[in-house]
Amino acid sequence: MVSFCPPRSSVFITEFNRMNLPLVILTPFIGAALTAWAARFGARRTAWVAGGMTLLALIILAPTLTAPFKGEVIIQRWSWIPQAGVDLAFRFDGLALLFTTMILGIGLLVILYARYYLSDDAQNPKPGMGRFYAYLLLFMGSMLGVVLSENLIVLLIFWEMTSLSSFLLISYSYQGKEARQGARMALTVTGLGGLALLGGFMLLGKMAGSYELSVILAQGDVIRADPLYTPMLVLILIGAFTKSAQFPFHFWLPRAMAAPTPVSAYLHSATLVKAGIFLLARLFPVLSGTPEWSWLVIGAGLSTLLIGAWFALFKHDLKGLLAYSTISHLGLITLLFGLATPLAAVAGLFHIINHATFKASLFMAAGIIDHECGTRDMRRINGLWKFMPYTATLAMVAAASMAGVPLFNGFLSKEMFFAETTDFFSDRPWGWMLPTLVALAGVLAVAYSLRFIHDVFFNGDPINLPKTPHEPPFWMKVPAEILVGICVLVGMFPAMTVAWPLKVAATSVLQAPPPRFDLAIWHGFNLPLLMSLIALFGGLLVYSARKPLFRQANRLEGVLDAGAYYDSIVRTVAGFATALTNALDRGSLQRLMVVFVVSVIAMGLAGALGSGSPLTGPRALLAADAVSVFIALALIVVTLATLILHHRRLTALVVVGALGLLVALIFVKFSAPDLALTQLSVEVVTIVLLLLALYFLPQRSPRESSRPRRIRDTVLALLAGGSAGALTWAMLTRPHESISSFFLENSVPGGGGTNVVNVILVDFRGYDTLGEISVLALAGLGIYAMLKDLELTGLARDARGRAWNWDAHPSIMAALTRLLLPLALLVSVFIFLRGHNQPGGGFIAGLITAVALIMQYLTNGVAWTHQRMSDNMHPLIGAGLLIATVTGLVSILLGYPFLTSTFTHIHWPVVGDFELASAMAFDLGVFLVVVGATLLILIHLGLMHDASHPDPKLQQEPR
Amino acid sequence: MHFDAANLIPILPEITLLITASLVLMVDLYLKEHEKGLNHTLTLIGIAIAIVLTGAVGGGEPQVFFDGNLIRDDISDLLKGAILIVSLLAFVYVRAWLQDRGMLVGEFYVLGLFAILGMLIMVSANSFLPLYLGLELQALSLYALVAFDRDSKKGAEAAMKYFVLGALGSGMLLYGVSMIYGATGSIEFAPVAQAVAEQGMSNKVLVFGIAFLVIGIGFKFGAVPFHMWVPDIYEGAPTPSVLILGSAPKIAAFALAIRMLVDGLGSLHPDWHQMLVILAVLSMGLGNLVAIAQSNIKRMLAYSTISHVGFIFLGLLAGSEQGYASAMFYSIVYAVMAAGAFGILLILSREGFDAERLEDLKGLNDRDAWYAAMMALVMFSMAGVPPTVGFMAKLLVLEAVVRVDMVWLALVAVFFSIIGAFYYLRVVKFIYFDKPADDAPLLVTTGGVRVAMSINGLVLLALGVFPAALLTLCQDAFA
C-alpha cells in the first residue's frame, strides 16, 4: 500500500518499497509492552529488553539511513482516515535522519546509564522498573513518530503522546509532591500547547489544502500571503514554544527536573524539548521570512536565552543549573531560526546536535554525582576532584563545550551563532543591540559553566555529604564517555564528522541546497571570535564577582517567576468558575424557569426581528362582532379575577367554573355545540374532583412571593403571553388550508353520521379513541390502586374555627337528587343515541351518567348508594374495552381494516326510519369505560375522606 | 390506510424491545425477591436480539413505510445500533447497584426499555409526529427513572425539575412543529422540506417555527441556555438512571436534530445555523468553565456533557455532509464515553455508599488498577487527548467547521477545550496520585461488568487508532 508521491519540491522524493518507518515507530511501543511484562524477571533483564528494542529499531531503520545522503526523501503511506485527509504517512529526510539517530542513539545510552543508575544492586531490584522502561520506550516511540510524520495530524497525535509519556516519566516517583506537581504542570503547559498547535495545523492545512508536509512545504509563498497567516503562526509558535520551554512558557522545565536523572538527560536535554525546535525547523520554509516570524521567534529566543542564562547562574541545585542552561540554549537555537537566514538555520541545526551531546553527558555526570553524594546542592558538593577525577574530567569537558571553549563542539556552533547575530541587524541603527545582548548571554553561559566546574570539583572540601563519593561503576560512565567523545571529535574535526549530515539536514530544512558553510576552528581574527573572547573573560570576571551577585539574586527571587503567574492564572480561572457557578447554578426551579422563558423570548424575538417578513399575514381580517368581543372581554375579566382571588380557594374554584362556562360559550359561538356539551360535562366532573381535593387544604393559601418577585413574574408573564399572542396573530392572519373540509365532506358518505365530531371519534380516528379509552381505564385503575384503603384526615374546622356541618346529607337535597337520577339517565341515553348525527355521543353520555351517579354519592352518602349499586367498577370498564375492541375485530373478520365502521338504515315501525351504525357499538364501549373510570376515580377520591366514613357518634345524632 | 405486514419488518428491533418490556413487566409479577435477576437477563437478551435484528433488517436503499411516518435508512441503522449497544453496556453496569439497594425490580428495566424504544422511534421517524411521540416516550420513562429512588429527597426534587422543565421543552418543540405545519401544511419531512425550499424565509410563521424547534432541540441536548436541568438531574438522580439518561439519549437527540433540521428544514440552514452557533459557543464556554468549579463528579460530568454538546452542534451547524457525519461520530463516541464514566461511578458505589464526589475517585489505582486505567482512558478521551477517539471526534468536527470557513469558531472551540482538558486531568490526578480513603474497600465486581467495562474503555482507544470504519459508516449515512 505504499503509494508514490509526486515530487513537488526541489528535493527528489522517492518511493521506498518497504514499511520500515512505521515499524521503527512501532518497535518501541511493542517494547513498552514487552518491558512491562519482562519486569517480573528483574530490573536487569528489563533494561536489556528495553535496550534490545531500541537497537532493533535502529536496525530496522538502517536500510533507509543512507537515502538522505543520496538526496532522497522517503515517504511511506497507508490510508487511515481518508475522509479527513489524514493518511498514516511517514517521511524520512535529512532532518528526520538527524533526529532519529539522536533519539535512538542517545536513547540507547540513556537506557544503559539507567540500568546502573536506577538499580542499586542486582540482588534486590527496585520495584517499578518495568514501568520506568515502558514509559521511556513509550516516549521514544512517540518522539520518533513526531520526527518521522509526513502528515501534520499524525505528527500532532504523536506530539500529544510525547506530552503524555513525559508526564508519566516525570511523575515516575509519584509519591513525591514535587514530582506530581512538576508532572502536572508539564502536562498542562505542553498539552495546552498541543491544542493550540492543533488549531494552527488546521489553519495551515486549510491554506495548503492538505496536511501532507510535501504539499505544504512547496507552498510557502501562498501560505505567507494568506490573511490567516498571523493567527496560524501564533498558534503553531505557541505549540512549539511550550514544548521547547521558550519564554514565557519556560517555567515547567525546571520543575520537570523532579524526574529521575536519566529522564532529564534524555527528555529535557536531548529530545523532548527539541520537539518544538524540530517543528520550527520542519516548517521553516513555509513559515519563516516574514516580519511576524522574525519578531516573535527572535523575541522569544532572545528573552529565553538571557533569562535562562541568568537563572542558571544562581541555581544551587545541580540539575536546576542544567535545566536553566538548557532553557537558555534552546532560546539560542530558537533565536537562530528566528533570524531566518539559511546560514542561521544551519547553525541552529548544528547547535541542536552539540547541545544534545554535551547536555546529555552533563546530566549523566550530574546523575553520577547525585548518585554518589546523595545530594545535588552545589553549596555542599565541593572538591569532588579528589574523589572521582575521571568523572570530573568528563564533566569538565562537557561543561567547557557548553561554555563555548575552543576545540569542543559548543565553540563551533557558538561562533556561527555570533557571526549570524552580528550580520543580521548590521544595517539598522540599533543593530548593535542584538550582538551585545547575545554576548552578554555568552558571558553568563561561561560563568555558569565555570560555576559547575569550580564549585563541584574544586572549591574546598565537601560539606556534610550523606555518603562518601567514589568513582561510579564502569558501565555507568560509558554513556557519558561516548557523548563526551563525540563532543571532542566534532570540536576538533568538524569537517570530517558532522559536515555531511549537517548539509543533508539543512537541505531538508531549507528545501533547497544549503549555503556554503565552513566548519573550521580557525576563521581568522574577526568579530565573532572577539565576542567569544569577551564571553570567556567576561564569564571569568562574573564568576569571580559572584558573591555580591548572589546576594542580589536572593533579593530578586520570586520576582520574575513565570511559574507564579501560571499558578495565579490557574487560581483566577478556578475562582471565576466558582463565581460563575454561584451566579448561575443555584438549583432553584423558579430561577431555572425564568432563564428558560427569557431565553425562549429572546430567541423568538431575534428570529422575528431577523427575518424581513411582517407579523401580520396577507389574510383579510374579519370584523369583530359584539358577541365575540363580549366573550373575549369576559374571559379576560374572569381570568384576572381568578388570579386575584386565587388565595381564597373556594371562591377561585367558582370563578374557574365560570371560565369553563365561557369556553363552552365560545364553542357555541363557533357552532360547535358538540364541543360545548363535552366542555360542560367535563367542567362538572372537574369541579367535583377539585372540590374533593380542596377538602384537605386550608381555605386560603398563604402568600409566598415577595413583591419584587411578583413584579418580575408579572413582567415575564406579560412578555410570554404577549409573545404567544403575537404568534397566534401571525398564524391566524395567514391563509391556511384546514383539514376540516375533508371531514365535513367525508363524514356522511364515509362514516354515516352528520355529527362530524362523533364520526371522527368513532370512525376516522377510531384507533385514537380506542387508545384513549384504554388510557382512561388504566388511569382509573391506577388511581384506584393508589387510593385503595387510604384514609386521610381532613380539616375538622374552617379558618374561623367553626366545625363542619354535622348534617352531611340534607334530606331535601337527597330526595330531590334521587328524583333527578332517572331523568339524568334518560338524557344520557338520548344523547348517546343521537350522537352519530346530532351533538352527543358515547363520551358525553358517559360523563352525564357518571355525574348523575356521583350526585347520589354526594347527597345520599356512600353507604346508601352502595346498598343499591355495586361499587365494583372493574367489570364495567372491562366490558367497555371488550365491546370496543370486538367491534374493531369484527371488521377484520369481515375482511376490512381494523375498526372500519358500517351503517344501515332500518325502518322501525312506530319510531320511523332509524339508522344503525356499527360505530354505535364502539360508542357503547366508550360510554361504559367513561362511566366506569370516572366513577372509579371520583368514588375513591371521596372515600379517602374521613367524612365519608363518619364515626358512629356522628351517625347516631338525630337528623 | 391499508395495513401491510411488510411494514413491520423494518421495525423489528422496536417490536423486539416492546415485547421484551411487556414480558419483563408481566414476568416480574410472578418473580420472588431472589429471582429478580431474571428481569436483568431478559432485558439483556431482548436488547441483544434487537441489535442482531437491527443488523439483519438494515442496509440497502432507504425504505419509507407506515404511510410515510417511519423510515429506515443508513442513518437509522447506525444510530439504532449505537443506541442499543450503549444501552446494553448501561444495563450491564446497573445491576449490582440496584441489587445492593433492593431496587432490582422489573420497573427499572421496563422504564429503561421504554426509554430505549422511544429513542429508536425517534431515530426511525420520518415525520414530526412519530418523532415527537418517540421523544415523549423516552422523556416520560426518563422522568420516572430519575425519581426511581423514591426515598431520596434529592431524587424526587430532580425528577420534579426534570419533569417541569422537560414539559416546557417538549411544549416548545411541539409549538414549533405546529407552526411548521401551519406554514407548510405537512408534518412529513420530505413535503416539509419541499415546501420550505419553495417559500424560504419569507414566512414569519416558519421563522418562529424554526426558533422553537431549535429551542426544543437545545433543551433535549442540554445546550446553554437550556441546560439548566442537566446538572441538577445528574446530581440528584440515582446513578443508574443518570447512566441511562446521560448516554444513549444524546444519540437520540442527535437524531432529533438531524431529522428536524436537516431532513425537514435543510434548505433553511443559513437561518438555524446562526442560532446553533450561539448555542454551541455558549455551551462550550459555560460547560467547560463551570465544570472546573465542581466538586461533585456527577455535576462535573453534567457540565462536561454540556460542553460536548457544543462540539456536536459545531458539526451540525457546519451544514456540510462532512459536518453531519462528524457530529454523528461525536454523538456516538460521546455516548460510549459517558457510559464508561458513569459505569465506573457505579462500580465504585457499594451498599450504602454512592460515589459522587471527586474525592471518591482517590486512589482508584490502588484499589483496582484495571478500572483505573479504563477511567483514565475515558477521561483522556473526553479531554480529547490522542490517541483516544475523543481526539479524533474533536478533530473531525473542527475540520468540518474549518472547511466551511468558520475558522474563528474552530479557534474558540480549541480554546475552550484547552480549559476543558484541565478538569478531566484533575480526575486522572485523583485516580493515580492520591491515596484512597481509609475505609475504601477493594472493588468487587462480576465478570460481566469487568468485561463490559474493558470493552467500553478499550473501544475508545481502538476507535482512536482505527477511526476510519465508524467514520465511513457515518459518512455513508449522509452521502
Side-chain angles (χ1 to χ4, degrees):
Chain A
M1 287 251 316
V2 181
S3 67
F4 181 76
C5 186
R8 280 173 188 265
S9 56
S10 57
V11 185
F12 178 59
I13 296 177
T14 182
E15 171 191 11
F16 191 81
N17 199 11
R18 277 187 219 170
M19 48 173 289
N20 65 332
L21 294 184
L23 273 182
V24 169
I25 299 170
L26 203 60
T27 310
F29 284 112
I30 297 170
L34 267 181
T35 45
W37 170 76
R40 63 184 63 192
F41 305 114
R44 209 190 298 184
R45 291 212 175 87
T46 322
W48 288 129
V49 172
M53 290 313 275
T54 314
L55 256 183
L56 183 65
L58 255 177
I59 293 167
I60 297 174
L61 186 66
T64 19
L65 275 178
T66 51
F69 292 100
K70 294 182 216 148
E72 289 172 1
V73 173
I74 294 167
I75 291 187
Q76 297 175 358
R77 177 194 310 274
W78 283 263
S79 176
W80 191 33
I81 322 172
Q83 297 93 338
V86 179
D87 283 347
L88 275 182
F90 302 97
R91 176 190 184 90
F92 191 72
D93 56 4
L95 188 63
L97 169 77
L98 175 69
F99 272 89
T100 39
T101 40
M102 227 162 65
I103 294 164
L104 288 170
I106 298 185
L108 206 55
L109 295 178
V110 164
I111 290 173
L112 181 63
Y113 176 77
R115 150 81 181 76
Y116 290 94
Y117 179 82
L118 282 173
S119 67
D120 272 329
D121 52 286
Q123 272 72 44
N124 44 348
K126 284 186 182 177
M129 287 318 294
R131 195 159 59 89
F132 176 79
Y133 289 113
Y135 291 165
L136 200 69
L137 287 180
L138 268 185
F139 169 76
M140 186 186 284
S142 316
M143 195 66 206
L144 285 172
V146 169
V147 298
L148 286 175
S149 290
E150 152 81 359
N151 191 296
L152 284 185
I153 299 297
V154 178
L155 193 157
L156 182 88
I157 292 174
F158 284 118
W159 179 281
E160 293 283 44
M161 281 166 67
T162 58
S163 299
L164 268 185
S165 47
S166 74
F167 166 79
L168 293 173
L169 279 169
I170 299 170
S171 67
Y172 170 67
S173 45
Y174 60 87
Q175 288 83 359
K177 190 164 183 257
E178 256 179 50
R180 294 198 311 243
Q181 281 181 342
R184 277 181 74 197
M185 188 185 274
L187 181 60
T188 314
V189 175
T190 53
L192 304 195
L195 282 168
L197 194 61
L198 171 64
F201 278 174
M202 301 200 77
L203 290 185
L204 188 56
K206 186 177 154 54
M207 291 173 199
S210 166
Y211 290 121
E212 302 281 309
L213 276 173
S214 27
V215 178
I216 293 171
L217 292 180
Q219 297 196 47
D221 294 331
V222 180
I223 289 165
R224 278 187 293 270
D226 199 285
L228 287 169
Y229 169 77
T230 311
M232 181 268 293
L233 179 70
V234 170
L235 286 170
I236 291 184
L237 287 183
I238 290 178
F241 288 173
T242 48
K243 202 72 156 187
S244 284
Q246 294 298 297
F247 178 82
F249 308 110
H250 61 282
F251 51 88
W252 66 267
L253 187 56
R255 285 172 176 77
M257 290 298 150
T261 305
V263 173
S264 306
Y266 191 36
L267 269 65
H268 303 132
S269 67
T271 52
L272 172 79
V273 289
K274 297 277 166 59
I277 287 169
F278 166 79
L279 195 67
L280 293 184
R282 209 15 134 204
L283 298 175
F284 188 77
V286 181
L287 301 181
S288 70
T290 58
E292 292 93 333
W293 166 275
S294 300
W295 281 112
L296 289 171
V297 181
I298 292 180
L302 187 62
S303 354
T304 316
L305 173 70
L306 285 166
I307 290 175
W310 174 259
F311 279 104
L313 184 56
F314 300 113
K315 284 287 153 190
H316 299 303
D317 178 10
L318 207 53
K319 276 177 83 178
L321 184 152
L322 292 179
Y324 276 103
S325 89
T326 303
I327 292 177
S328 172
H329 280 273
L330 292 170
L332 189 159
I333 301 170
T334 308
L335 176 53
L336 275 171
F337 281 107
L339 298 177
T341 58
L343 260 179
V346 175
L349 285 173
F350 192 24
H351 201 69
I352 290 175
I353 304 173
N354 296 338
H355 178 252
T357 48
F358 67 67
K359 194 51 67 66
S361 53
L362 277 173
F363 267 113
M364 287 178 183
I368 292 173
I369 293 166
D370 186 11
H371 195 255
E372 295 300 324
C373 300
T375 177
R376 299 192 308 240
D377 191 334
M378 277 187 284
R379 285 165 299 191
R380 290 165 65 195
I381 319 170
N382 296 319
L384 288 189
W385 173 260
K386 281 170 268 177
F387 299 94
M388 39 170 83
Y390 192 76
T391 310
T393 315
L394 289 178
M396 281 177 346
V397 172
S401 177
M402 171 162 82
V405 175
L407 293 186
F408 303 121
N409 58 358
F411 170 72
L412 296 172
S413 45
K414 216 160 220 181
E415 282 285 276
M416 289 173 82
F417 169 59
F418 286 150
E420 284 308 304
T421 47
T422 46
D423 288 352
F424 189 68
F425 276 137
S426 52
D427 52 342
R428 309 272 174 91
W430 293 87
W432 54 270
M433 283 281 288
L434 186 64
T436 313
L437 289 173
V438 162
L440 177 64
V443 169
L444 289 170
V446 172
Y448 64 68
S449 304
L450 253 178
R451 182 170 181 223
F452 184 87
I453 295 171
H454 186 254
D455 270 19
V456 174
F457 298 109
F458 306 102
N459 202 20
D461 289 316
I463 304 162
N464 240 348
L465 291 186
K467 41 185 171 177
T468 318
H470 48 75
E471 287 284 353
F474 172 71
W475 284 106
M476 200 162 165
K477 285 178 293 190
V478 169
E481 278 167 13
I482 294 174
L483 288 171
V484 169
I486 295 174
C487 288
V488 178
L489 265 182
V490 170
M492 292 194 186
F493 313 105
M496 276 175 258
T497 47
V498 285
W500 203 15
L502 199 56
K503 201 170 150 190
V504 169
T507 312
S508 53
V509 168
L510 299 170
Q511 290 288 301
R516 269 186 49 78
F517 56 91
D518 183 17
L519 291 182
I521 302 171
W522 180 252
H523 288 268
F525 199 83
N526 53 12
L527 194 56
L529 188 67
L530 178 68
M531 286 166 78
S532 283
L533 289 175
I534 292 175
L536 280 175
F537 289 106
L540 269 172
L541 268 177
V542 169
Y543 181 68
S544 57
R546 64 191 184 280
K547 293 252 158 61
L549 272 176
F550 274 31
R551 276 197 296 277
Q552 195 66 28
N554 274 344
R555 244 172 286 156
L556 282 174
E557 193 162 320
V559 174
L560 255 177
D561 186 7
Y565 291 109
Y566 165 85
D567 287 337
S568 88
I569 289 174
V570 168
R571 267 198 307 277
T572 315
V573 171
F576 179 63
T578 316
L580 204 62
T581 312
N582 291 341
L584 293 176
D585 188 4
R586 293 272 193 76
S588 144
L589 182 59
Q590 285 90 333
R591 224 182 146 84
L592 301 184
M593 306 265 286
V594 170
V595 175
F596 187 97
V597 173
V598 169
S599 311
V600 168
I601 294 175
M603 282 193 79
L605 263 182
L609 298 176
S611 80
S613 74
L615 188 65
T616 308
R619 194 166 159 181
L621 301 181
L622 302 172
D625 60 309
V627 182
S628 306
V629 172
F630 170 75
I631 295 179
L633 283 179
L635 211 55
I636 294 172
V637 169
V638 174
T639 313
L640 282 176
T642 321
L643 266 181
I644 294 164
L645 294 173
H646 83 274
H647 289 287
R648 297 155 71 174
R649 292 202 162 109
L650 193 65
T651 325
L653 197 59
V654 174
V655 185
V656 168
L659 205 61
L661 285 180
L662 269 170
V663 173
L665 267 182
I666 294 177
F667 288 141
V668 172
K669 166 76 175 53
F670 289 109
S671 355
D674 209 297
L675 286 182
L677 257 178
T678 316
Q679 171 70 32
L680 269 180
S681 42
V682 168
E683 195 63 36
V684 173
V685 175
T686 322
I687 294 286
V688 172
L689 196 80
L690 283 172
L691 277 172
L692 288 173
L694 269 191
Y695 180 80
F696 295 105
L697 298 174
Q699 275 175 308
R700 286 162 184 271
S701 54
R703 293 179 186 276
E704 284 164 338
S705 305
S706 62
R707 180 175 281 272
R709 172 172 245 175
R710 267 182 299 178
I711 294 173
R712 179 197 75 181
D713 291 350
T714 313
V715 172
L716 264 184
L718 286 176
L719 273 174
S723 312
L727 284 175
T728 318
W729 178 260
M731 222 40 213
L732 292 179
T733 51
R734 281 172 167 73
H736 171 236
E737 207 176 304
S738 163
I739 53 166
S740 54
S741 56
F742 168 84
F743 292 114
L744 289 174
E745 280 159 21
N746 288 289
S747 178
V748 176
T754 50
N755 177 2
V756 180
V757 175
N758 187 264
V759 173
I760 289 177
L761 280 181
V762 298
D763 192 313
F764 293 122
R765 294 269 178 267
Y767 242 130
D768 295 7
T769 313
L770 185 62
E772 272 173 40
I773 56 173
S774 311
V775 170
L776 185 63
L778 282 176
L781 290 174
I783 292 175
Y784 167 73
M786 281 194 282
L787 298 185
K788 193 168 169 283
D789 300 331
L790 178 74
E791 272 187 42
L792 291 176
T793 320
L795 299 172
R797 293 167 187 281
D798 73 353
R800 293 184 197 165
R802 291 173 302 200
W804 294 115
N805 186 2
W806 53 264
D807 188 5
H809 310 295
S811 315
I812 299 178
M813 195 166 122
L816 277 175
T817 326
R818 283 173 212 172
L819 269 181
L820 263 178
L821 180 64
L823 278 175
L825 292 181
L826 199 63
V827 170
S828 168
V829 172
F830 171 71
I831 291 216
F832 175 79
L833 284 178
R834 74 201 291 261
H836 212 48
N837 292 312
Q838 313 270 310
F843 184 72
I844 304 171
L847 281 177
I848 293 174
T849 311
V851 169
L853 290 172
I854 283 295
M855 274 164 64
Q856 305 310 314
Y857 277 94
L858 288 176
T859 54
N860 295 308
V862 177
W864 182 89
T865 321
H866 279 176
Q867 280 166 11
R868 289 154 186 83
M869 194 183 97
S870 162
D871 64 335
N872 187 359
M873 293 296 154
H874 301 181
L876 205 60
I877 298 175
L881 282 179
L882 201 65
I883 292 175
T885 316
V886 167
T887 324
L889 290 177
V890 166
S891 57
I892 287 195
L893 282 182
L894 297 176
Y896 295 98
F898 188 61
L899 275 178
T900 308
S901 79
T902 178
F903 57 93
T904 178
H905 288 262
I906 292 173
H907 188 77
W908 206 351
V910 188
V911 182
D913 205 25
F914 187 76
E915 187 196 288
L916 202 61
S918 70
M920 280 181 79
F922 184 73
D923 223 10
L924 181 66
V926 174
F927 171 83
L928 292 177
V929 173
V930 169
V931 173
T934 315
L935 281 179
L936 193 65
I937 296 169
L938 291 180
I939 291 171
H940 283 92
L941 272 174
L943 280 176
M944 195 167 69
H945 299 179
D946 51 3
S948 303
H949 316 274
D951 57 278
K953 214 171 75 190
L954 202 65
Q955 275 176 336
Q956 281 156 16
E957 274 181 51
R959 295 205 164 176
Chain B
M1 197 191 268
H2 227 72
F3 178 75
D4 184 358
N7 278 333
L8 294 177
I9 306 248
I11 54 163
L12 277 178
E14 282 92 337
I15 295 176
T16 313
L17 280 188
L18 182 61
I19 292 174
T20 314
S22 313
L23 199 65
V24 171
L25 195 60
M26 281 191 288
V27 168
D28 183 53
L29 287 176
Y30 302 99
L31 289 180
K32 295 192 190 66
E33 203 52 50
H34 63 276
E35 298 166 340
K36 293 284 186 188
L38 186 61
N39 291 324
H40 183 79
T41 317
L42 279 178
T43 306
L44 293 192
I45 293 174
I47 297 180
I49 295 176
I51 294 174
V52 173
L53 285 175
T54 308
V57 301
E61 286 298 299
Q63 295 163 269
V64 174
F65 47 98
F66 278 118
D67 299 297
N69 278 309
L70 294 180
I71 188 172
R72 191 215 57 72
D73 53 7
D74 287 347
I75 299 180
S76 74
D77 291 342
L78 181 58
L79 291 182
K80 271 192 209 176
I83 289 175
L84 288 169
I85 290 171
V86 170
S87 307
L88 189 69
L89 282 177
F91 273 115
V92 172
Y93 297 146
V94 297
R95 178 179 170 156
W97 193 96
L98 295 174
Q99 199 155 27
D100 286 347
R101 287 156 186 75
M103 282 156 77
L104 190 66
V105 287
E107 284 91 332
F108 187 91
Y109 290 94
V110 171
L111 287 170
L113 284 168
F114 274 126
I116 303 169
L117 177 61
M119 294 178 219
L120 295 197
I121 294 175
M122 284 164 80
V123 168
S124 305
N126 190 39
S127 109
F128 282 108
L129 200 60
L131 191 62
Y132 183 74
L133 287 178
L135 178 68
E136 281 303 273
L137 180 57
Q138 178 219 14
L140 287 171
S141 312
L142 292 180
Y143 299 147
L145 275 179
V146 169
F148 199 72
D149 186 1
R150 276 183 297 185
D151 300 329
S152 152
K153 261 179 92 173
K154 255 165 89 184
E157 186 190 330
M160 175 75 188
K161 282 179 184 164
Y162 190 23
F163 179 70
V164 171
L165 292 169
L168 260 178
S170 297
M172 291 301 155
L173 199 69
L174 204 55
Y175 213 20
V177 170
S178 72
M179 272 178 243
I180 302 277
Y181 172 66
T184 60
S186 177
I187 52 168
E188 258 178 66
F189 294 136
V192 165
Q194 201 182 350
V196 166
E198 279 163 17
Q199 49 184 320
M201 283 307 268
S202 58
N203 195 339
K204 186 137 242 157
V205 175
L206 208 51
V207 181
F208 284 127
I210 291 177
F212 281 110
L213 285 193
V214 171
I215 290 167
I217 291 170
F219 182 86
K220 291 298 165 193
F221 261 113
V224 180
F226 308 106
H227 67 287
M228 305 82 69
W229 57 278
V230 184
D232 284 348
I233 275 71
Y234 273 44
E235 186 184 347
T239 314
S241 308
V242 185
L243 169 59
I244 291 177
L245 175 133
S247 51
K250 287 286 171 291
I251 304 178
F254 171 78
L256 178 77
I258 279 291
R259 294 294 188 205
M260 283 190 174
L261 295 181
V262 180
D263 285 3
L265 304 166
S267 56
L268 293 182
H269 169 256
D271 299 284
W272 49 261
H273 154 98
Q274 289 299 334
M275 301 186 216
L276 286 192
V277 170
I278 297 171
L279 295 190
V281 171
L282 285 178
S283 302
M284 289 186 296
L286 193 92
N288 279 320
L289 266 176
V290 176
I292 297 177
Q294 304 307 315
S295 55
N296 181 308
I297 185 158
K298 281 160 85 180
R299 231 180 155 77
M300 189 206 95
L301 286 172
Y303 280 105
S304 113
T305 305
I306 294 171
S307 70
H308 284 290
V309 163
F311 271 94
I312 296 176
F313 276 14
L314 284 190
L316 282 175
L317 63 85
S320 55
E321 274 169 17
Q322 192 201 2
Y324 300 142
S326 62
M328 193 176 196
F329 187 85
Y330 204 113
S331 317
I332 295 174
V333 165
Y334 176 74
V336 177
M337 296 191 290
F342 286 108
I344 287 286
L345 290 190
L346 284 178
I347 289 170
L348 279 170
S349 302
R350 55 184 181 271
E351 206 169 338
F353 171 80
D354 275 317
E356 293 203 321
R357 293 168 311 138
L358 276 171
E359 280 82 35
D360 294 337
L361 284 164
K362 271 188 179 171
L364 177 57
N365 187 41
D366 296 343
R367 297 170 64 193
D368 191 316
W370 182 248
Y371 284 138
M374 294 301 116
M375 185 63 169
L377 266 179
V378 171
M379 286 296 123
F380 279 136
S381 186
M382 281 193 173
V385 177
T388 56
V389 68
F391 169 77
M392 281 299 157
K394 282 209 167 69
L395 174 72
L396 293 170
V397 168
L398 292 176
E399 253 263 325
V401 174
V402 169
R403 285 222 188 146
V404 292
D405 284 330
M406 300 193 67
V407 175
W408 70 270
L409 197 58
L411 294 185
V412 168
V414 167
F415 174 73
F416 283 126
S417 55
I418 289 179
I419 296 178
F422 208 76
Y423 56 89
Y424 297 119
L425 294 182
R426 200 168 53 158
V427 175
V428 176
K429 176 215 154 210
F430 275 123
I431 295 177
Y432 281 100
F433 288 173
D434 288 342
K435 289 266 153 279
D438 296 331
D439 59 336
L442 286 177
L443 296 178
V444 184
T445 50
T446 60
V449 171
R450 194 167 281 272
V451 170
M453 183 49 76
S454 308
I455 294 175
N456 198 337
L458 293 178
V459 91
L460 296 177
L461 196 60
L463 277 177
V465 181
F466 307 104
L470 180 59
L471 186 61
T472 309
L473 284 178
C474 290
Q475 219 139 34
D476 289 350
F478 289 99

